[in-house]
Each structure stands twice: as C-alpha cells, then as structure tokens.
C-alpha cells in the first residue's frame, strides 16, 4: 500500500503511461516508412526494410527522440508528418482521473518525458493534459 502521507510529488511519464502508444507506434512503423518510401520511390515493404534498421540503430540514444535529427537524416519534415496523425493521440483510460485524484490529495504532479519539445507541444495541445501538471 502506498503511504501517501510520505509523498509530496508524483512524477509521470507521458508516452505509454498517460498516452496510448498507438500514435507513436503507427507513425514510426507504418506512416513514416510509407511517406519516406514514396519519396524514395520505394514500396512499403522495401521502405521498411531500409528504414526500420536505421531507426533501431539509434534507439536508446538522444537522437532517437529528436525530431530535428530525423528530419535532417531522412530529408522529410517529421513534425509535419506527426501533425498529420495527431487525431491518433489518445489519453490512456483513467489517466485523467488519476491525475485529478493525485491533485485532490494535494500532491504535486510533474510530467517527465524525453519527448522532443515540439512533439510535446503537439501532444499537450491535442489532449489538454497539461493543465493537470504543476
């Protein structure tokens, strides 16, 4: 059981914790290969075969999370493509209720994420969850 009296601040991750990962997974595994591949004259299968290993190679590095890095690396505006799909950004079930409950307990709520600032702005604008953080 959590001793809420001993806690004054709760840190929340964003992607996969408060927000569903479908948006990001679909973008990186389907939409980006489709759009990037079309610019390279590749069908989806060939684009994935070339692009996905490049993406995996950067996983775990700071550049993995940097939209500017990927835009320069791939020659395509990643933020623009991300905005194309912003309708897929979804809050996970009961995330808002949890944020409200923690606030009602008088605890500070802090968002901790390694998301690129530009994408963070898109996600906060789309979901409105930013109002729940201190």
């Amino acid at each position: 059981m959590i001793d809420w009296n001993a806690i004054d601040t709760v840190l929340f991750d964003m992607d996969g914790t408060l927000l569903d990962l479908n948006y990001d997974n679909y973008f990186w595994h389907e939409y980006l290969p489709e759009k990037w591949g079309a610019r390279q004259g590749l069908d989806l299968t060939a684009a994935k075969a070339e692009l996905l290993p490049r993406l995996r190679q950067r996983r775990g590095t700071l550049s993995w999370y940097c939209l500017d890095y990927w835009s320069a690396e791939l020659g395509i505006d990643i933020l623009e493509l991300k905005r194309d799909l912003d309708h897929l950004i979804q809050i996970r079930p009961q995330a808002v209720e949890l944020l409200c409950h923690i606030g009602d307990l008088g605890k500070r709520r802090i968002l901790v994420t390694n998301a690129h600032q530009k994408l963070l702005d898109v996600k906060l604008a789309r979901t409105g969850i930013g109002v729940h953080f201190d």
Side-chain angles (χ1 to χ4, degrees):
M1 179 114 185
I2 297 174
D3 179 5
W4 286 106
N5 293 321
I7 296 171
D8 61 5
T9 303
V10 179
L11 307 176
F12 289 91
D13 180 43
M14 184 174 61
D15 298 313
T17 302
L18 297 173
L19 301 184
D20 185 278
L21 284 177
N22 179 58
Y23 167 76
D24 292 305
N25 288 339
Y26 178 75
F27 178 84
W28 293 106
H29 296 278
E30 301 297 330
Y31 194 69
L32 178 60
E34 174 190 335
K35 298 299 183 182
W36 178 82
R39 294 184 72 168
Q40 306 302 313
L42 302 171
D43 66 22
L44 183 58
T45 301
K48 284 182 176 185
E50 187 172 329
L51 183 59
L52 295 181
R54 289 172 70 181
L55 297 175
R56 279 192 294 272
Q57 184 178 33
R58 302 306 306 160
R59 183 167 256 151
T61 68
L62 288 177
S63 56
W64 166 254
Y65 300 97
C66 184
L67 302 185
D68 299 326
Y69 170 83
W70 288 114
S71 292
E73 178 75 13
L74 301 175
I76 194 166
D77 188 339
I78 298 296
L79 183 60
E80 180 182 328
L81 293 179
K82 285 281 203 176
R83 285 185 175 136
D84 289 348
L85 298 177
D86 74 345
H87 63 280
L88 296 178
I89 300 169
Q90 298 292 319
I91 300 171
R92 291 193 62 177
Q94 300 177 335
V96 171
E97 291 85 347
L98 175 62
L99 289 167
C100 289
H101 179 71
I102 299 298
D104 291 345
L105 292 174
K107 311 304 177 184
R108 287 179 18 142
R109 298 155 297 171
I110 306 293
L111 179 64
V112 180
T113 182
N114 50 14
H116 191 281
Q117 184 64 51
K118 293 174 186 175
L119 185 54
L120 175 61
D121 293 342
V122 169
K123 289 179 175 183
L124 292 178
R126 180 67 185 180
T127 64
I129 64 169
V131 300
H132 298 286
F133 296 102
D134 302 299

